[in-house]
mmCIF file of all heavy atoms in Angstrom:
data_model
loop_
_atom_site.group_PDB
_atom_site.id
_atom_site.type_symbol
_atom_site.label_atom_id
_atom_site.label_comp_id
_atom_site.label_asym_id
_atom_site.label_seq_id
_atom_site.Cartn_x
_atom_site.Cartn_y
_atom_site.Cartn_z
ATOM 1 N N VAL A 20 88.577 123.736 104.274
ATOM 2 C CA VAL A 20 87.635 123.498 103.181
ATOM 3 C C VAL A 20 88.391 123.111 101.913
ATOM 4 O O VAL A 20 88.007 122.186 101.192
ATOM 5 C CB VAL A 20 86.736 124.727 102.948
ATOM 6 C CG1 VAL A 20 85.972 124.605 101.632
ATOM 7 C CG2 VAL A 20 85.757 124.883 104.108
ATOM 8 N N GLY A 94 110.179 128.855 97.356
ATOM 9 C CA GLY A 94 110.792 128.031 98.379
ATOM 10 C C GLY A 94 112.082 128.531 98.971
ATOM 11 O O GLY A 94 112.619 127.914 99.886
ATOM 12 N N ARG A 159 90.466 133.139 85.354
ATOM 13 C CA ARG A 159 89.047 132.866 85.147
ATOM 14 C C ARG A 159 88.569 131.725 86.046
ATOM 15 O O ARG A 159 87.937 130.767 85.611
ATOM 16 C CB ARG A 159 88.743 132.549 83.681
ATOM 17 C CG ARG A 159 89.108 133.638 82.708
ATOM 18 C CD ARG A 159 88.535 135.001 83.071
ATOM 19 N NE ARG A 159 87.067 134.980 83.103
ATOM 20 C CZ ARG A 159 86.327 135.976 83.599
ATOM 21 N NH1 ARG A 159 86.920 137.044 84.146
ATOM 22 N NH2 ARG A 159 85.010 135.903 83.576
ATOM 23 N N TYR A 195 78.304 130.710 98.039
ATOM 24 C CA TYR A 195 78.802 130.725 99.403
ATOM 25 C C TYR A 195 78.813 129.318 100.005
ATOM 26 O O TYR A 195 78.116 128.411 99.547
ATOM 27 C CB TYR A 195 77.927 131.647 100.254
ATOM 28 C CG TYR A 195 77.637 132.971 99.584
ATOM 29 C CD1 TYR A 195 76.356 133.266 99.101
ATOM 30 C CD2 TYR A 195 78.649 133.908 99.382
ATOM 31 C CE1 TYR A 195 76.089 134.470 98.462
ATOM 32 C CE2 TYR A 195 78.393 135.112 98.746
ATOM 33 C CZ TYR A 195 77.114 135.389 98.278
ATOM 34 O OH TYR A 195 76.865 136.573 97.635
ATOM 35 N N THR A 205 67.446 123.619 109.283
ATOM 36 C CA THR A 205 66.200 124.156 108.728
ATOM 37 C C THR A 205 65.926 125.574 109.230
ATOM 38 O O THR A 205 65.237 126.351 108.560
ATOM 39 C CB THR A 205 65.003 123.247 109.078
ATOM 40 O OG1 THR A 205 64.841 123.184 110.507
ATOM 41 C CG2 THR A 205 65.217 121.838 108.517
ATOM 42 N N LEU A 226 78.356 123.352 106.371
ATOM 43 C CA LEU A 226 79.236 122.370 107.008
ATOM 44 C C LEU A 226 79.077 122.451 108.522
ATOM 45 O O LEU A 226 79.186 123.530 109.110
ATOM 46 C CB LEU A 226 80.693 122.620 106.634
ATOM 47 C CG LEU A 226 81.008 122.711 105.137
ATOM 48 C CD1 LEU A 226 82.512 122.888 104.933
ATOM 49 C CD2 LEU A 226 80.496 121.492 104.383
ATOM 50 N N ASP A 260 98.950 107.286 135.149
ATOM 51 C CA ASP A 260 99.057 108.743 135.101
ATOM 52 C C ASP A 260 98.895 109.275 133.684
ATOM 53 O O ASP A 260 99.129 108.561 132.700
ATOM 54 C CB ASP A 260 100.440 109.197 135.596
ATOM 55 C CG ASP A 260 100.621 109.014 137.095
ATOM 56 O OD1 ASP A 260 99.596 108.909 137.803
ATOM 57 O OD2 ASP A 260 101.775 108.968 137.552
ATOM 58 N N MET A 272 105.944 132.584 117.381
ATOM 59 C CA MET A 272 106.000 131.129 117.481
ATOM 60 C C MET A 272 105.764 130.503 116.111
ATOM 61 O O MET A 272 104.814 130.836 115.411
ATOM 62 C CB MET A 272 104.945 130.644 118.476
ATOM 63 C CG MET A 272 104.928 129.160 118.710
ATOM 64 S SD MET A 272 103.911 128.693 120.146
ATOM 65 C CE MET A 272 102.373 129.544 119.825
ATOM 66 N N ALA A 280 101.740 115.799 117.472
ATOM 67 C CA ALA A 280 101.978 114.363 117.630
ATOM 68 C C ALA A 280 101.934 113.959 119.103
ATOM 69 O O ALA A 280 101.536 112.835 119.430
ATOM 70 C CB ALA A 280 103.317 113.971 117.004
ATOM 71 N N ALA A 282 99.983 115.530 121.331
ATOM 72 C CA ALA A 282 98.561 115.608 121.667
ATOM 73 C C ALA A 282 97.782 114.415 121.129
ATOM 74 O O ALA A 282 96.684 114.126 121.608
ATOM 75 C CB ALA A 282 97.973 116.912 121.128
ATOM 76 N N ALA A 283 98.335 113.747 120.115
ATOM 77 C CA ALA A 283 97.653 112.577 119.550
ATOM 78 C C ALA A 283 97.780 111.345 120.429
ATOM 79 O O ALA A 283 97.079 110.356 120.215
ATOM 80 C CB ALA A 283 98.223 112.273 118.164
ATOM 81 N N LYS A 314 114.223 137.725 120.443
ATOM 82 C CA LYS A 314 112.992 138.286 121.011
ATOM 83 C C LYS A 314 112.342 137.291 121.966
ATOM 84 O O LYS A 314 111.834 137.667 123.035
ATOM 85 C CB LYS A 314 112.022 138.656 119.886
ATOM 86 C CG LYS A 314 110.725 139.275 120.372
ATOM 87 C CD LYS A 314 109.810 139.666 119.214
ATOM 88 C CE LYS A 314 110.343 140.854 118.451
ATOM 89 N NZ LYS A 314 109.358 141.365 117.462
ATOM 90 N N LEU A 439 108.700 109.766 125.128
ATOM 91 C CA LEU A 439 107.725 109.914 126.206
ATOM 92 C C LEU A 439 108.040 108.994 127.378
ATOM 93 O O LEU A 439 107.791 109.353 128.536
ATOM 94 C CB LEU A 439 106.315 109.648 125.676
ATOM 95 C CG LEU A 439 105.744 110.740 124.754
ATOM 96 C CD1 LEU A 439 104.398 110.324 124.191
ATOM 97 C CD2 LEU A 439 105.628 112.071 125.491
ATOM 98 N N ALA A 444 109.758 108.772 132.947
ATOM 99 C CA ALA A 444 110.703 108.306 133.964
ATOM 100 C C ALA A 444 111.309 109.477 134.717
ATOM 101 O O ALA A 444 111.423 109.460 135.958
ATOM 102 C CB ALA A 444 111.797 107.470 133.310
ATOM 103 N N GLU A 463 95.549 110.805 108.370
ATOM 104 C CA GLU A 463 94.730 110.347 107.245
ATOM 105 C C GLU A 463 93.254 110.293 107.630
ATOM 106 O O GLU A 463 92.377 110.667 106.840
ATOM 107 C CB GLU A 463 95.208 108.980 106.771
ATOM 108 C CG GLU A 463 96.420 109.036 105.857
ATOM 109 C CD GLU A 463 96.108 109.755 104.560
ATOM 110 O OE1 GLU A 463 95.155 109.358 103.859
ATOM 111 O OE2 GLU A 463 96.820 110.731 104.245
ATOM 112 N N ILE A 486 84.020 123.632 88.978
ATOM 113 C CA ILE A 486 85.419 123.299 88.697
ATOM 114 C C ILE A 486 85.629 123.044 87.213
ATOM 115 O O ILE A 486 86.630 123.482 86.628
ATOM 116 C CB ILE A 486 85.839 122.063 89.534
ATOM 117 C CG1 ILE A 486 85.867 122.429 91.031
ATOM 118 C CG2 ILE A 486 87.206 121.548 89.096
ATOM 119 C CD1 ILE A 486 85.964 121.223 91.954
#
Side-chain angles (χ1 to χ4, degrees):
V20 168
R159 301 308 299 169
Y195 314 109
T205 62
L226 307 183
D260 289 340
M272 182 168 51
K314 181 178 289 189
L439 288 175
E463 279 296 305
I486 292 167

